[in-house]
Amino acid sequence: MVFVHRRPSWALPERLATPEDAFLNRRVLLKAMGFGLMAAGALGGGLGESLAEAADPTADLYPAKKNEAYKLDRSVTPEEINANYNNFYEFGTYKEIAQEAQSLVIRPWEIEIGGLVDAPMTIAFDDLVRKFPLETRLYRHRCVEAWSMTIPWAGFALNKLVAAVKPQSGAKYVRFETFLDPSMASGQNSFLYPWPYVEGVTIEEAANDLAFIVTGAYDKPLLKQFGAPIRLALPWKYGFKSIKSIRKIDFVAERPVGLWEAIQPSEYGFWANVNPEVPHPRWSQANERVLHTGEVVPTQIFNGYGAEVANLYKGMDPATLYM
Ligand code: MTE
C-alpha cells in the first residue's frame, strides 16, 4: 500500500515537531541500554509498576518493527500526556482514570472468537499476540469530543485475524465486546450504561488494512488505561469505535449496536466516520484540539485517511457517513 502524504497548510511549525523517527530511535536506544523498563516504570509512576511491567511475558515483542507506510503530519503525543487523559468508562467517566484502571487484571486473559466462522478459536492473549508478526504504526486518533492525539501503536492488521478464523458468507459484521466484571471495574456498577462495552464494523471495514488490532504502544505492551491487553484502532472513525480490552469477537449477520449507539442513537451512529461537515448535535466537528500542543486545527474527512478507506463508502451520502 502506498500512503500518499501531503503536508497540509496547518502542519506544525518545525520547532514544535518532534520527528517520530527521533522518538522511536530514542526508545530503541533506551531498550538496548537496558533502560526501557525503568523508563516506562517512571512514566507510569513507580517501582511497583516497573516490576509488574518487567514481568509482562510479552515485553520481548517490543519495540515492534516500524511500518514506514504510516507517516504523520504532526508530532507524536508524548506518552505521559496520553497516559493521563483517557476515556475508559469502565473505570470512571472522567479523563483521569489511569490510577483506577490499574485494577484491571489482564492475566489470564482469553479471547473468544466465533459466530459465523469455520475456524472459531478461544485463545489466550499471550498466544494470540505471537500468532502474527507485530508492527508499529503511527496513527492519528480523533475523539468525537473534538480533541486528537497521535500515537505509535503496535499490533497487527485485523484482517489477519479475520482470515485465520475463516468467516462464512453469512458474516456481514464483526462485533467486539469488552470484559464484564463490576468487581474489577467500578464504572460497571453504574446502571446508566448497558455494559459490557460493544462496538462493531462491517466485514469490509474489518478487511481494510487500516483496521488494527493493538497490543502495544510507545514500544511496550499496552498500559492498562489504553485498553490492555488488546484493543482496536480504527483511525478514520471517531475514537469511541476503537474498543478497549477485548474479550470476545463475533462474526454476525445483523448490524451490532454499540454501547454509545444504544444510549444515544441520535448522537453516536454506527458508521462514526470522521466528517468535519457533519456536526455532532451539540458541537461542531470542523476543528480539533491537538492535545499535546493545544493547537486547534481543521479536522479532515476520514481523519485524513480517505485514500485508504473512501472506497468502502462509495455511493453513500456523505452526510450519512457519520450516523
Ligand atoms: N473502550 C471501552 N471498553 N471503554 C471505553 O470507555 N472509550 C472509547 C474508546 N474505547 C472506551 C473504549 C472512547 S470514547 C475513546 S475516545 C477511546 O477509547 C479513547 O482511547 P484512549 O483513552 O486510548 O485515548
Side-chain angles (χ1 to χ4, degrees):
M1 185 193 66
V2 182
F3 191 85
V4 184
H5 169 61
R6 271 182 300 130
R7 197 177 171 83
S9 55
W10 46 264
L12 280 178
E14 252 354 284
R15 76 194 146 73
L16 284 179
T18 308
E20 301 87 328
D21 289 336
F23 159 78
L24 287 170
N25 289 340
R26 194 172 69 235
R27 276 277 174 205
V28 173
L29 192 69
L30 282 172
K31 186 166 170 138
M33 292 165 73
F35 289 147
L37 293 169
M38 253 167 60
L43 276 172
L47 185 62
E49 192 172 327
S50 69
L51 287 177
E53 281 193 27
D56 189 308
T58 67
D60 62 294
L61 294 169
Y62 307 92
K65 191 172 183 307
K66 189 176 172 194
N67 184 335
E68 298 292 345
Y70 299 93
K71 299 202 188 308
L72 291 177
D73 52 4
R74 47 186 96 157
S75 57
V76 166
T77 304
E79 181 181 4
E80 51 272 40
I81 292 181
N82 192 346
N84 289 292
Y85 191 92
N86 303 99
N87 276 334
F88 202 168
Y89 276 56
E90 284 83 345
F91 296 99
T93 56
Y94 41 94
K95 297 288 181 283
E96 298 78 21
I97 51 77
Q99 206 54 47
E100 195 70 26
Q102 302 316 307
S103 57
L104 174 64
V105 178
I106 57 167
R107 286 195 171 76
W109 190 281
E110 281 197 334
I111 295 137
E112 211 185 310
I113 311 171
L116 303 171
V117 295
D118 285 339
M121 60 167 110
T122 296
I123 185 168
F125 169 73
D126 290 338
D127 296 329
L128 179 63
V129 72
R130 288 180 196 277
K131 242 177 128 57
F132 311 103
L134 301 187
E135 57 181 274
T136 294
R137 296 183 180 185
L138 300 173
Y139 270 5
R140 278 190 291 275
H141 173 49
R142 168 63 159 82
C143 180
V144 73
E145 297 163 341
W147 52 262
S148 66
M149 297 200 219
T150 39
I151 309 166
W153 294 126
F156 53 85
L158 171 61
N159 56 28
K160 293 190 177 164
L161 191 57
V162 171
V165 294
K166 302 189 170 54
Q168 297 165 0
S169 59
K172 304 290 183 217
Y173 299 90
V174 188
R175 178 186 183 278
F176 300 86
E177 192 178 297
T178 298
F179 67 86
L180 179 61
D181 186 350
S183 70
M184 177 168 83
S186 58
Q188 288 186 331
N189 289 303
S190 166
F191 296 109
L192 296 176
Y193 301 92
W195 307 110
Y197 200 102
V198 166
E199 260 308 338
V201 294
T202 65
I203 194 96
E204 293 80 14
E205 290 176 325
N208 189 278
D209 251 343
L210 264 189
F212 202 48
I213 290 274
V214 175
T215 61
Y218 298 95
D219 289 343
K220 56 179 188 279
L222 270 189
L223 294 179
K224 292 183 179 180
Q225 58 266 44
F226 292 158
I230 182 168
R231 70 173 288 171
L232 210 54
L234 302 167
W236 72 100
K237 291 181 179 284
Y238 289 115
F240 69 86
K241 297 291 292 186
S242 293
I243 184 171
K244 295 178 166 184
S245 302
I246 299 165
R247 273 276 196 208
K248 210 163 173 290
I249 304 176
D250 275 308
F251 289 74
V252 296
E254 302 288 317
R255 187 163 120 171
V257 179
L259 176 135
W260 290 107
E261 190 183 0
I263 296 172
Q264 195 53 281
S266 63
E267 298 196 352
Y268 307 103
F270 170 78
W271 296 105
N273 291 311
V274 175
N275 187 346
E277 314 256 296
V278 181
H280 182 279
R282 288 181 283 135
W283 58 84
S284 163
Q285 296 290 20
N287 299 307
E288 66 203 55
R289 182 169 50 95
V290 179
L291 207 65
H292 64 290
T293 65
E295 278 180 303
V296 174
V297 301
T299 286
Q300 304 175 66
I301 181 85
F302 296 117
N303 202 20
Y305 294 101
E308 283 74 23
V309 298
N311 64 320
L312 290 169
Y313 310 102
K314 252 195 230 125
M316 282 177 71
D317 173 358
T320 66
L321 286 180
Y322 173 57
M323 297 313 291

Coordinates of all heavy atoms in Angstrom, one line a residue, residues 16 18 24 52 56 58 62 89 132 134 153 164 175 180 215 228 262 266 284 307:
L16 N 8.1 22.9 16.8 CA 7.2 22.2 17.7 C 7.2 20.7 17.4 O 6.7 19.9 18.2 CB 5.8 22.7 17.6 CG 5.5 24.0 18.3 CD1 4.0 24.4 18.1 CD2 5.8 23.9 19.8
T18 N 8.4 17.0 17.0 CA 9.4 16.0 17.4 C 9.4 15.0 16.3 O 8.4 14.3 16.2 CB 9.1 15.3 18.7 OG1 8.8 16.3 19.7 CG2 10.2 14.4 19.2
L24 N 11.2 7.3 18.1 CA 11.3 5.9 18.1 C 12.7 5.4 18.3 O 13.0 4.5 19.1 CB 10.8 5.3 16.8 CG 9.2 5.4 16.7 CD1 8.8 5.0 15.3 CD2 8.6 4.4 17.7
A52 N 6.0 -4.8 37.7 CA 4.9 -5.5 37.0 C 5.1 -5.6 35.5 O 4.9 -6.6 34.9 CB 3.6 -4.8 37.3
D56 N 5.9 -8.8 32.5 CA 5.0 -9.0 31.3 C 5.6 -9.9 30.3 O 6.7 -9.7 29.8 CB 4.7 -7.6 30.6 CG 3.6 -7.8 29.6 OD1 3.7 -8.7 28.7 OD2 2.6 -7.0 29.7
T58 N 5.1 -10.6 27.4 CA 5.1 -10.2 26.0 C 6.1 -9.0 25.8 O 6.2 -8.5 24.7 CB 3.7 -9.8 25.5 OG1 3.3 -8.6 26.2 CG2 2.7 -10.9 25.8
Y62 N 8.5 -6.0 21.9 CA 8.6 -4.6 21.6 C 10.0 -4.1 21.8 O 10.8 -4.6 22.6 CB 7.7 -3.8 22.6 CG 6.3 -4.4 22.5 CD1 5.9 -5.4 23.4 CD2 5.4 -3.9 21.5 CE1 4.6 -5.9 23.3 CE2 4.1 -4.5 21.4 CZ 3.7 -5.5 22.3 OH 2.5 -6.0 22.2
Y89 N -14.7 4.2 30.3 CA -15.8 4.4 31.2 C -16.0 3.3 32.2 O -16.6 3.5 33.3 CB -17.1 4.6 30.4 CG -17.3 6.1 29.9 CD1 -16.3 6.7 29.2 CD2 -18.4 6.8 30.3 CE1 -16.4 8.0 28.8 CE2 -18.6 8.1 29.9 CZ -17.6 8.7 29.2 OH -17.7 10.0 28.8
F132 N 0.9 -13.5 15.0 CA 1.2 -12.7 13.8 C 2.3 -11.8 14.1 O 2.4 -11.3 15.3 CB -0.1 -11.9 13.4 CG -1.3 -12.7 13.3 CD1 -2.3 -12.6 14.3 CD2 -1.6 -13.5 12.2 CE1 -3.4 -13.4 14.3 CE2 -2.7 -14.3 12.1 CZ -3.6 -14.2 13.2
L134 N 4.3 -8.5 14.9 CA 3.8 -7.2 15.3 C 4.5 -6.1 14.5 O 5.7 -6.3 14.1 CB 4.0 -7.0 16.8 CG 3.4 -8.0 17.7 CD1 3.6 -7.5 19.2 CD2 1.9 -8.2 17.4
W153 N 1.1 3.0 17.8 CA 0.5 1.8 18.2 C 1.3 0.6 17.7 O 1.9 0.7 16.6 CB -0.9 1.6 17.6 CG -2.0 2.5 18.0 CD1 -2.8 3.3 17.2 CD2 -2.5 2.7 19.4 NE1 -3.7 4.0 17.9 CE2 -3.6 3.7 19.2 CE3 -2.2 2.3 20.6 CZ2 -4.3 4.1 20.4 CZ3 -2.9 2.7 21.7 CH2 -3.9 3.6 21.6
A164 N -7.8 -15.8 9.6 CA -7.5 -17.0 10.4 C -8.7 -17.8 10.8 O -8.7 -19.0 10.9 CB -6.6 -16.7 11.6
R175 N -18.5 -8.1 15.5 CA -18.9 -7.5 16.8 C -17.9 -7.7 17.8 O -17.4 -8.8 18.0 CB -20.2 -8.1 17.2 CG -20.8 -7.6 18.5 CD -22.1 -8.5 18.8 NE -22.7 -8.0 20.1 CZ -22.3 -8.3 21.3 NH1 -21.3 -9.1 21.5 NH2 -23.0 -7.9 22.3
L180 N -16.6 -8.0 31.2 CA -17.7 -7.6 32.1 C -17.3 -8.1 33.5 O -17.4 -9.3 33.8 CB -19.0 -8.2 31.7 CG -20.2 -7.8 32.6 CD1 -20.4 -6.3 32.7 CD2 -21.5 -8.4 32.1
T215 N -1.8 -4.2 20.5 CA -1.3 -4.9 21.7 C -0.3 -4.1 22.5 O 0.1 -4.5 23.6 CB -0.8 -6.3 21.3 OG1 0.4 -6.0 20.4 CG2 -1.8 -7.1 20.5
A228 N -5.5 -2.4 27.8 CA -4.7 -3.7 27.8 C -5.7 -4.8 28.0 O -6.8 -4.7 28.6 CB -3.7 -3.6 29.0
A262 N -26.5 2.6 21.6 CA -27.6 2.1 22.4 C -28.1 3.2 23.3 O -29.3 3.4 23.6 CB -27.2 0.9 23.2
S266 N -29.1 9.3 18.4 CA -29.1 10.5 17.6 C -27.8 11.2 17.7 O -27.5 12.1 16.9 CB -30.2 11.4 18.2 OG -29.9 11.8 19.5
S284 N -19.6 21.5 17.0 CA -19.1 21.4 15.7 C -18.0 20.3 15.6 O -17.3 20.1 16.6 CB -18.5 22.7 15.3 OG -17.6 22.6 14.2
A307 N -7.8 8.2 1.3 CA -7.1 7.4 0.3 C -7.3 5.9 0.6 O -7.4 5.1 -0.3 CB -5.7 7.8 0.1

